[in-house]
Structure formats: structure tokens, C-alpha cells
Amino acid sequence: MAEHLSTHEGMLSKLKYYHNEVTNAELKQIIDLQIEVIHVKVMLMLINPYQNGYIEVPSLESFTGDQYRPEEAWGQNTLNNKSIALEARAGTKSMADNNFVSALMMKNPNVRRAHIEMALQAALQERYGELIKRMGWAFVPHVSVQDQIDTYQHLQHILNK
């Protein structure tokens, strides 16, 4: 759990840096929401030896996304919004994956369930994806139906082995 919390600490630091660097208001709001959602309080309660009760993970809808206020200026928009959005989406997916894998290793049912709930809060990843798509920052190659058929036929042999 301590290693897992260190991962969250690094992610929080990076997100705070990004929050101060971006100029796109919607991207800033998504990052702000993600900062608020990272469940350090929940995890600290889970490892607290004096906490014996049931720990609940707040739903994503309970967060406003306007809690983070920078304590100091980190820089002057040296990274561009597109790069930050793409990396933040990847980082969000990585944290969700990390929470799910961690859940599989947890023996305590409350801790396991909490990590699964945190992993399921992948809606942030979708918000980044929607912004990226709307801004034209995503490249999704389109292939013809014939290309799909050719690929399917070429790889169909895998089923016969």
C-alpha cells in the first residue's frame, strides 16, 4: 500500500504541475477534477490501524473539480495543451489499471472493493478522450472494409492452431 500511495503522490505532483501549465479551461477543469478524485484520504484510512469501520469510496459525481488552487506558480505554459491532455489521459488509464491490479492482490475485502471502485472511475479518461477528439488532437486511422476483411482472413489461422 505504501508503494501504491507513492505512485499517487507522484501522479498528484504531475497533475498540479500540468494544472498550472495548461491554458485550455476545459482541460484545466478535468485536471482539477482528477486532482480532487485521487483517493489518498481513502487509502490512508484503509491503512490506519485504528480505523476498523467500513471505508467508502466517494462517487465521481460527488466531486466538483474546483478544489485545487495552486500554492505557487510552476512556470509559464512551456508545455502545450495537446501534449498534456494526451499524457494525462494515459496517466489516468495507468492509475485505473494500477488500482485494479492492486485490488487483485488485496486480502482485505474492504480494501479490495475500494480499489476496484477507484479503478472503475475511468470516466476521467473518457473526459480527456472527448476533449482530445473535439480539439482534433486524436488521429484515428480509418481503413476500408476490404482492408478489414484482408486482415481478418490473414489472422484467422490463429484459431486453427
Side-chain angles (χ1 to χ4, degrees), residues 32-40 60 63 118 121 124:
D32 195 30
L33 179 61
Q34 189 172 5
I35 289 168
E36 190 179 354
V37 166
I38 292 182
H39 300 288
V40 173
L60 192 57
F63 296 100
M118 289 185 279
Q121 290 185 339
L124 284 169

Side-chain angles (χ1 to χ4, degrees), residues 3-156:
E3 182 180 333
H4 189 68
L5 274 166
S6 294
T7 301
H8 285 283
E9 180 182 15
M11 183 64 143
L12 275 171
S13 179
K14 178 174 65 171
L15 288 169
K16 288 175 181 179
Y17 174 79
Y18 286 170
H19 186 273
N20 291 319
E21 292 291 318
V22 299
T23 57
N24 180 290
E26 185 179 356
L27 179 56
K28 190 175 280 282
Q29 194 275 332
I30 296 168
I31 292 169
D32 195 30
L33 179 61
Q34 189 172 5
I35 289 168
E36 190 179 354
V37 166
I38 292 182
H39 300 288
V40 173
K41 285 182 190 175
V42 170
M43 288 186 284
L44 286 172
M45 288 173 29
L46 289 169
I47 63 172
N48 182 345
Y50 303 109
Q51 173 65 43
N52 297 320
Y54 179 78
I55 308 297
E56 185 163 342
V57 176
S59 70
L60 192 57
E61 292 76 27
S62 68
F63 296 100
T64 60
D66 63 358
Q67 300 299 307
Y68 175 67
R69 298 290 173 256
E71 295 177 14
E72 61 182 75
W74 288 75
Q76 298 297 323
N77 296 316
T78 55
L79 299 174
N80 67 39
N81 293 321
K82 176 183 175 183
S83 296
I84 290 174
L86 292 170
E87 201 289 322
R89 179 180 60 179
T92 302
K93 180 185 183 317
S94 176
M95 288 302 295
D97 292 349
N98 187 290
N99 279 323
F100 185 72
V101 170
S102 293
L104 296 175
M105 296 184 286
M106 302 291 174
K107 291 180 174 64
N108 181 298
N110 190 24
V111 176
R112 183 182 316 113
R113 182 207 39 79
H115 280 79
I116 289 171
E117 287 180 24
M118 289 185 279
L120 292 175
Q121 290 185 339
L124 284 169
Q125 188 179 336
E126 293 170 15
R127 287 189 185 189
Y128 282 117
E130 290 167 6
L131 173 66
I132 289 165
K133 183 177 179 181
R134 198 170 48 259
M135 297 300 290
W137 296 336
F139 173 73
V140 179
H142 297 282
V143 297
S144 69
V145 172
Q146 187 58 51
D147 287 340
Q148 289 178 356
I149 290 169
D150 292 346
T151 303
Y152 172 79
Q153 289 174 343
H154 176 76
L155 297 173
Q156 197 172 22

